[in-house]
Amino acid sequence: VIGIVIGSLFAILSEQIRIPFEVYRQRLNIDSMTGVYNSRYFRRITEEMIAENPDKNFSMGVIEINGLRDLLESLPPSGLQHLLQKVTDILRNELRGNDIIGRWDDVSFSILLPETPGNATSRTFDRIYQALSSPIDLPQFDININLDPHIGGVVYSNRIRTQELFAKANNSLDEARRNSVK
């Protein structure tokens, strides 16, 4: 009887210890400002997707919010977080449940669209662009922000390496920037 009680206590205690470690480990993968995956973890997910299914179709995009550049230094952290949360909410509303969102860098987000061919990817990027093109109002700071989004995307094909995929997505983003300047 004592052995059963001690064994039960040990099982409960070990489960209570394991759960906080899992929560802590998950927090390391999440960007604190946006609540989406951080860049490091997003890259790892992409690498794993390619390694596990090198012949599967998926698409990746990088969404640059150019309107954030000037605000990074001038907007208080709470305002910046509120703005980034609004952008994240817009992205979540425009994407499917199995699509993955990450924070690429200070002014960019990345998205992974599993099993999404080129035509559907293009329509998704158009929807995201339209949604992000509307100004966002931050009444507590008395400003209206034009996000000025640029989107670059790529469809995974020909068993390219992860670095090539990221480079193509960034090249596509550069092309989107150049086309918006004209």
Side-chain angles (χ1 to χ4, degrees):
V1 173
I2 293 173
I4 290 173
V5 171
I6 291 174
S8 297
L9 287 174
F10 181 70
I12 292 169
L13 183 61
S14 69
E15 186 65 21
Q16 293 299 318
I17 291 171
R18 188 184 66 75
I19 290 172
F21 284 132
E22 286 295 317
V23 170
Y24 178 71
R25 195 176 68 152
Q26 272 297 88
R27 282 189 196 150
L28 291 176
N29 299 331
I30 302 294
D31 177 67
S32 62
M33 293 286 275
T34 60
V36 299
Y37 292 123
N38 60 33
S39 180
R40 179 186 48 80
Y41 190 66
F42 183 87
R43 290 172 190 266
R44 192 167 94 200
I45 290 171
T46 307
E47 289 170 356
E48 288 172 0
M49 185 178 284
I50 290 173
E52 291 171 5
N53 299 304
D55 295 320
K56 263 208 171 153
N57 243 355
F58 70 89
S59 300
M60 185 204 153
V62 178
I63 303 161
E64 180 181 74
I65 310 298
N66 202 40
L68 285 175
R69 288 196 191 284
D70 296 334
L71 298 173
L72 288 174
E73 301 294 325
S74 61
L75 201 60
S78 63
L80 185 60
Q81 184 172 16
H82 188 71
L83 179 60
L84 289 170
Q85 291 280 334
K86 285 190 172 200
V87 170
T88 302
D89 290 343
I90 290 169
L91 291 175
R92 284 188 175 129
N93 287 336
E94 298 301 324
L95 296 171
R96 300 173 301 185
N98 65 337
D99 295 336
I100 299 168
I101 306 171
R103 183 138 181 232
W104 195 247
D105 62 26
D106 288 343
V107 296
S108 301
F109 289 83
S110 51
I111 56 173
L112 200 58
L113 309 171
E115 299 181 27
T116 307
N119 291 338
T121 299
S122 180
R123 287 191 303 272
T124 300
F125 289 163
D126 287 342
R127 275 195 331 267
I128 290 170
Y129 181 81
Q130 292 304 318
L132 291 174
S133 291
S134 301
I136 291 183
D137 187 34
L138 290 179
Q140 65 271 39
F141 299 101
D142 196 32
I143 56 173
N144 211 0
I145 299 163
N146 178 14
L147 298 176
D148 187 23
H150 300 117
I151 302 175
V154 63
V155 176
Y156 172 77
S157 62
N158 298 328
R159 294 178 167 246
I160 61 174
R161 294 186 341 230
T162 310
Q163 281 64 30
E164 290 176 89
L165 181 74
F166 296 150
K168 285 184 177 196
N170 282 322
N171 289 342
S172 179
L173 179 61
D174 290 341
E175 183 69 27
R177 278 189 216 114
R178 283 191 296 274
N179 288 338
S180 71
V181 173
K182 293 179 183 178

